[in-house]
Amino acid sequence: MEKERKVAFDKLKIKADSAKVFSKEKGFSADYCVLIDFSIHSGKNRFFVWDYKNDTIKYSSLCCHGYGKKSTQSKPVFSNTEGSYCSSLGRYKLGTRAYSQWGINVHYKMHGLDKTNDNAFQRIVVLHSFDRVPNEEIYPSHLPLGYSQGCPVISDEVMRKMDALLKETKKPVLMWIYT
């Protein structure tokens, strides 16, 4: 089990290092990024706020994926098409804070930066929370489908922390969804 965690952390670290280079080149926050690894079981934490300065995970959460196009609890299907109800892979700029009807009533707009997600803003794909997403891992159980129509959906507890962090950040924060 410890070896499995080390391998997962090492994979995350490689992605964080790449995100840091991208963030520096594009003028994004030099403090944090958000990494979402949808290859991880939905009952385990797969949403990570990476702290560049301390080179480690600051926050983590379970994270829902979209239920569209025959996605299953264990195998998400990805799409950038409006009305697909699927999550989209790629890099995003986290944008404006706004009211949400879900979770802590806050969401952040997502602006897709890649061909695989450049319709995110038009699709109204946003980062938000939902009170039914547990604060703790539920593995071997999966998160139920239906909590997301393509949005990354996290726990209320971590969304409160994210909201505080994003309100203080002067530059845009990079979010990267990958498998």
Side-chain angles (χ1 to χ4, degrees):
M1 185 61 131
E2 195 55 41
K3 184 177 180 181
E4 181 181 314
R5 286 186 193 275
K6 175 149 178 31
V7 168
F9 182 84
D10 290 347
K11 179 183 177 188
L12 190 64
K13 169 95 171 75
I14 290 167
K15 192 59 83 171
D17 289 345
S18 181
K20 187 175 184 177
V21 170
F22 180 87
S23 292
K24 187 175 183 178
E25 288 174 356
K26 302 295 184 186
F28 282 73
S29 171
D31 298 323
Y32 307 101
C33 72
V34 175
L35 302 171
I36 302 173
D37 186 347
F38 276 145
S39 72
I40 296 174
H41 187 284
S42 71
K44 293 183 175 184
N45 290 338
R46 57 189 188 165
F47 174 97
F48 305 96
V49 176
W50 189 267
D51 179 337
Y52 289 139
K53 289 179 181 170
N54 294 305
D55 214 21
T56 194
I57 299 165
K58 185 167 182 72
Y59 307 125
S60 62
S61 176
L62 296 175
C63 185
C64 302
H65 60 263
Y67 63 77
K69 292 196 174 196
K70 300 187 180 178
S71 284
T72 67
Q73 291 174 308
S74 60
K75 189 170 189 308
V77 174
F78 302 103
S79 175
N80 191 28
T81 304
E82 195 159 340
S84 68
Y85 301 126
C86 292
S87 298
S88 300
L89 298 174
R91 294 169 293 195
Y92 298 83
K93 177 181 86 170
L94 286 176
T96 307
R97 179 184 193 266
Y99 173 81
S100 173
Q101 63 182 343
W102 306 108
I104 66 165
N105 300 119
V106 169
H107 74 243
Y108 283 86
K109 307 290 186 197
M110 293 170 51
H111 302 271
L113 303 173
D114 299 313
K115 282 189 175 278
T116 55
N117 64 8
D118 59 2
N119 289 324
F121 186 81
Q122 294 85 346
R123 292 177 58 209
I124 313 172
V125 173
V126 297
L127 171 64
H128 68 88
S129 65
F130 186 51
D131 61 4
R132 293 190 184 154
V133 176
N135 291 322
E136 304 296 328
E137 293 184 333
I138 58 171
Y139 180 84
S141 296
H142 285 275
L143 287 171
L145 285 177
Y147 292 173
S148 169
Q149 294 183 338
C151 301
V153 180
I154 61 176
S155 74
D156 285 350
E157 179 181 306
V158 171
M159 189 63 186
R160 281 185 192 92
K161 294 174 183 176
M162 280 295 304
D163 187 39
L165 182 133
L166 291 170
K167 285 194 293 187
E168 290 178 7
T169 304
K170 303 290 184 234
K171 291 185 176 182
V173 171
L174 175 69
M175 172 187 280
W176 198 345
I177 301 175
Y178 58 95
T179 57

